[in-house]
Amino acid sequence: MAEQKRPGRWRVKLIIAGMTLFVLLLCAGCVALTLFLQDSRMVTGRSGFVQQAVWRGTLVLIVASLAVMLLFRLRAPERGGLTVGLYTVLILLCLAGCYFLVRPVVLDLPYLEQPAVTYLNALGFDVDDFSDAPTEYEISGTGLDGKDYTFSIGINLYNSGRTIWEENHSLHAKVGYLPHTDVVMSLEYLPALDEEARALYPSSTDLPENWDSLAIQINDSVYTLPQPLSDFLDDGWTFADPADAERTLAGASEPYSDYDHISLDLVNQAEQEIDVTVYNTSEQDLPISECTVGGLYIIYGNYDFSGQQVQLPGGMMLGWSNREDVLRQYGTPSDTFEDYSLDYNVSPAHRLNLTFTDDGILDSILIHAQEYFRSD
């Protein structure tokens, strides 16, 4: 009898050992998965994409299991109409949740070989160590497209970038990323924009290359001063103060008399503002809408414009280009004030003045392209 029971005992022992091994492997897998998902060094590149796929896949399994459970409970014949309706809604929500969890991963598959690229300025570095959640290291900034971005990066990229940024607050970041999961595939810190940035966000073909054209691109329009105010109004600019629309400027009827002028603000539908100086260069009194813009001033510090929305000849961008970019593109200025201001003069009445932040970033643009008085 003892010899007949022995195989059964071995079988029980093998089952117990197998179950124990399975539980141990499951626990080890959970620990490994947790460490992988919490490792801040693994949030970028292909490992970051795998992290996204894993945690999203895990949530999909949980949500799908819930949907299956609800489906089996729904099949019970004693369920009332209200219960059936509630379960049906919950099942549909679970399916929708699965769709929205899986969709970004699938859509990002084609970008693994060629990620989307953006450039950031006004960089911010942040550490999110809230509660018991894994520590997240983030970089944020404004892109050349004018949008605000925040990306999770590894601790090494965070530390190296913050160290450089503390020495140079005008630092840019070139980010290759997956546009649907926001996984950073590559990150490069740049002191200035490279040629790829200029190729991604080119100036209008109507914008000249030479600074002495006294031209400027604002959004999609190029203005070459002096230019009729009506051109600005036709492009959607309106008077910030409606009372300015009723103004009349006196004509310069006498030789050597000053041109009547006024400085005022124009605003567009995006609530962006520019300061313009409007002149009447005729001999007759004219309504302001028939006069000429001879001066224009834009400052980046008002935060009305972002990205590549304001450009000067040669691709100089307000809030992006630095003093070295300008000197390299425009050459030696007519006058300077310390490191904050550069003057490029065609004549005393035709000039371009550029000012810079303490970090050397182009902060304001002043264009004056109008004589001050009439001469025969």
Side-chain angles (χ1 to χ4, degrees):
M1 294 294 294
E3 292 180 357
Q4 293 178 356
K5 293 180 180 179
R6 188 173 300 167
R9 287 199 298 268
W10 278 109
R11 189 178 298 110
V12 172
K13 291 180 179 180
L14 287 173
I15 293 174
I16 294 174
M19 293 178 63
T20 303
L21 180 60
F22 174 77
V23 171
L24 291 175
L25 289 175
L26 182 62
C27 292
C30 291
V31 171
L33 177 61
T34 301
L35 293 175
F36 174 67
L37 293 177
Q38 292 183 348
D39 192 339
S40 66
R41 297 169 299 178
M42 307 293 285
V43 298
T44 59
R46 290 182 177 271
S47 59
F49 179 72
V50 172
Q51 272 199 3
Q52 284 283 325
V54 168
W55 77 258
R56 288 173 182 272
T58 302
L59 287 179
V60 166
L61 288 176
I62 295 173
V63 173
S65 299
L66 176 60
V68 171
M69 182 186 70
L70 291 171
L71 183 61
F72 275 104
R73 294 179 65 87
L74 185 61
R75 296 175 62 186
E78 69 276 7
R79 301 297 178 193
L82 182 61
T83 302
V84 170
L86 177 61
Y87 279 19
T88 301
V89 170
L90 291 175
I91 291 171
L92 292 176
L93 288 175
C94 288
L95 294 177
C98 291
Y99 171 77
F100 286 110
L101 284 168
V102 171
R103 183 175 182 271
V105 175
V106 175
L107 291 177
D108 274 342
L109 288 174
Y111 290 93
L112 287 174
E113 296 299 329
Q114 191 172 2
V117 175
T118 190
Y119 290 77
L120 305 180
N121 74 346
L123 298 182
F125 294 85
D126 188 39
V127 179
D128 185 359
D129 55 358
F130 179 75
S131 186
D132 296 327
T135 301
E136 291 189 17
Y137 298 87
E138 296 178 337
I139 183 173
S140 60
T142 301
L144 267 173
D145 55 6
K147 299 178 181 178
D148 293 327
Y149 291 88
T150 299
F151 296 105
S152 293
I153 58 176
I155 184 173
N156 294 332
L157 286 173
Y158 174 90
N159 288 335
S160 61
R162 186 171 180 84
T163 299
I164 302 172
W165 176 81
E166 287 175 349
E167 298 293 329
N168 176 18
H169 283 205
S170 64
L171 188 69
H172 302 318
K174 178 181 180 181
V175 185
Y177 68 103
L178 305 181
H180 299 95
T181 57
D182 288 334
V183 173
V184 174
M185 301 299 289
S186 63
L187 175 60
E188 184 179 359
Y189 296 107
L190 303 173
L193 295 178
D194 57 16
E195 291 304 317
E196 184 180 350
R198 303 185 193 283
L200 286 172
Y201 299 95
S203 304
S204 169
T205 55
D206 295 329
L207 184 67
E209 287 292 323
N210 52 310
W211 68 265
D212 56 3
S213 63
L214 299 180
I216 186 170
Q217 179 179 337
I218 304 175
N219 297 319
D220 296 325
S221 299
V222 174
Y223 303 100
T224 302
L225 271 56
Q227 187 155 346
L229 176 60
S230 58
D231 289 348
F232 289 81
L233 301 179
D234 290 343
D235 286 339
W237 295 95
T238 59
F239 298 99
D241 181 355
D244 288 334
E246 306 302 322
R247 291 182 178 272
T248 298
L249 296 183
S253 57
E254 298 295 329
Y256 300 102
S257 59
D258 293 342
Y259 287 131
D260 195 12
H261 63 276
I262 184 174
S263 294
L264 49 85
D265 294 334
L266 299 180
V267 62
N268 61 14
Q269 290 185 345
E271 299 184 353
Q272 297 168 326
E273 285 195 11
I274 56 176
D275 299 334
V276 296
T277 303
V278 183
Y279 291 80
N280 180 4
T281 60
S282 73
E283 298 182 18
Q284 297 80 34
D285 296 353
L286 290 177
I288 196 169
S289 60
E290 297 180 21
C291 295
T292 301
V293 174
L296 186 148
Y297 177 72
I298 298 179
I299 184 170
Y300 183 71
N302 290 340
Y303 301 110
D304 288 338
F305 298 92
S306 58
Q308 84 286 16
Q309 293 174 335
V310 177
Q311 298 191 48
L312 288 173
M316 299 298 99
M317 298 184 190
L318 183 67
W320 282 85
S321 298
N322 57 36
R323 190 174 184 274
E324 289 69 28
D325 292 331
V326 172
L327 291 172
R328 184 168 51 251
Q329 182 72 26
Y330 294 169
T332 303
S334 305
D335 195 11
T336 64
F337 179 75
E338 297 182 349
D339 291 332
Y340 302 110
S341 177
L342 300 178
D343 277 316
Y344 289 89
N345 297 339
V346 179
S347 70
H350 298 77
R351 68 184 187 275
L352 172 66
N353 173 259
L354 307 175
T355 64
F356 302 85
T357 66
D358 292 341
D359 298 317
I361 296 298
L362 180 59
D363 186 56
S364 73
I365 299 170
L366 170 65
I367 300 175
H368 190 279
Q370 179 61 57
E371 300 291 348
Y372 295 102
F373 56 89
R374 172 189 167 196
S375 60
D376 284 343

